[in-house]
Amino acid sequence: MLETIFTILLFISALVLIVLVLIQPDRSHGMSGSMGMGASNTVFGVSKDGGPLARATEFVAFIFIVSALLLYLVK
């Protein structure tokens, strides 16, 4: 029973995570943007807040990871 619940949760969170990542706006300028001026801020993870879409992505990624770990522990 728990295995089925975690499998469904994992599948749904994976689909939602894919959609959330695909609809986010592009924050980089390709490889040339990462090699230019100010690249140290983006390379080392210092960037401005992504807004509610980025927070939703982080939340769904957390749900995905937790459900995957719980599914592993249940099996």
Side-chain angles (χ1 to χ4, degrees), residues 2-4 6-7 10 64-75:
L2 280 176
E3 185 176 338
T4 305
F6 290 138
T7 302
L10 185 68
F64 177 81
I65 291 170
V66 168
S67 62
L69 289 173
L70 289 174
L71 182 61
Y72 172 74
L73 291 174
V74 168
K75 281 190 169 189

Side-chain angles (χ1 to χ4, degrees), residues 8-57:
I8 292 171
L9 184 63
L10 185 68
F11 182 73
I12 291 172
S13 63
L15 291 178
V16 172
L17 189 60
I18 289 169
V19 170
L20 284 173
V21 167
L22 287 177
I23 64 173
Q24 286 187 8
D26 187 23
R27 290 193 224 172
S28 68
H29 301 287
M31 287 298 289
S32 62
S34 65
M35 301 299 175
M37 296 298 286
S40 64
N41 286 341
T42 57
V43 170
F44 298 112
V46 178
S47 63
K48 34 184 187 174
D49 185 29
L53 195 58
R55 291 193 187 269
T57 305

